[in-house]
Amino acid sequence: MTTFSPPIDEPKTLSHEHIKAYARDGYILLRGLFDEATLARLHGVYARAHERVLAAGESIHDGKVLYELEPVASATGGRTRLLRKVQEIFLADDEFRAVFSSDTVLDVVADLIGDTIYYHSSKLMCKPPLGGRRKPWHQDWAYWPDMDPRQVTVWTAIDPATVANGCMQVLPGSHLAGAMEHHNGEDFMIDESGVDRSKIIFAEMQPGDVLFFNVLLLHASDPNNSDDPRLAGIVDYEANPRPPGHGYGSDTPLRS
């Protein structure tokens, strides 16, 4: 079993109860961390990205940055294509980078993994209405098995995230079991037969709420069969630099 201890004695932002909850459950949910002005900036990030990819008429792979379109049902019937995600949006958009390099975020991250913080990876993720796809149960760490587990995923609700439109689901305490085997099935995922569904927490969130979770925490989301989009900003931070030539991450700290 993997154990986790708070990285510091006196947190900058979080309460000691938050720190204990993170160690025990593998996540904390902070309500209203971002104000309306910040949310407007993040909606602007999406609008610019969406305009760019629609003008191109196809998904765009620009260096490390991927703008991905997804075919979904339209409100009037038939099919349309919407921006599903921008992989590595932190590298592509100054506004997004400014928000997620701010003290508002990094002070919390420091309380969870320590004062030295490196950027690892990011996504602007839109689960489109009327068919945005399901994400099966997985751990983020499985994508990067050489990672130090002192890494935290920061998941920000830009739109409301509800059960109807596919909010995040988490299994409290699942991070304590350590890394699990994953396979390429419906997506990169664990064997879901062992998931205790009676313990699932549906993390419904309002715009500006932020979920901080350990990269070993099991999480998933259902498809979006509602009429409402579910836009989120997701950034991973770690305590150590990436080795030369690695596809993700940075060797320059955001804070040290």
Side-chain angles (χ1 to χ4, degrees), residues 57-113:
E58 60 184 2
S59 297
I60 301 170
H61 206 160
D62 184 6
K64 290 185 176 181
V65 184
L66 172 63
Y67 299 77
E68 182 179 290
L69 284 169
E70 179 177 15
V72 295
S74 69
T76 56
R79 306 288 287 177
T80 188
R81 293 197 297 171
L82 297 174
L83 179 64
R84 174 178 177 257
K85 72 174 179 180
V86 184
Q87 184 80 43
E88 297 293 4
I89 184 65
F90 189 95
L91 305 179
D93 191 284
D94 291 342
E95 285 285 295
F96 188 95
R97 187 163 53 253
V99 169
F100 288 98
S101 300
S102 68
D103 289 342
T104 299
V105 176
L106 295 187
D107 280 351
V108 180
V109 172
D111 286 345
L112 298 174
I113 66 172

Side-chain angles (χ1 to χ4, degrees), residues 5-25:
S5 300
I8 55 176
D9 294 327
E10 289 300 325
K12 293 178 174 62
T13 299
L14 299 177
S15 67
H16 287 286
E17 288 71 26
H18 281 133
I19 298 292
K20 290 176 183 177
Y22 185 82
R24 179 189 67 238
D25 299 330

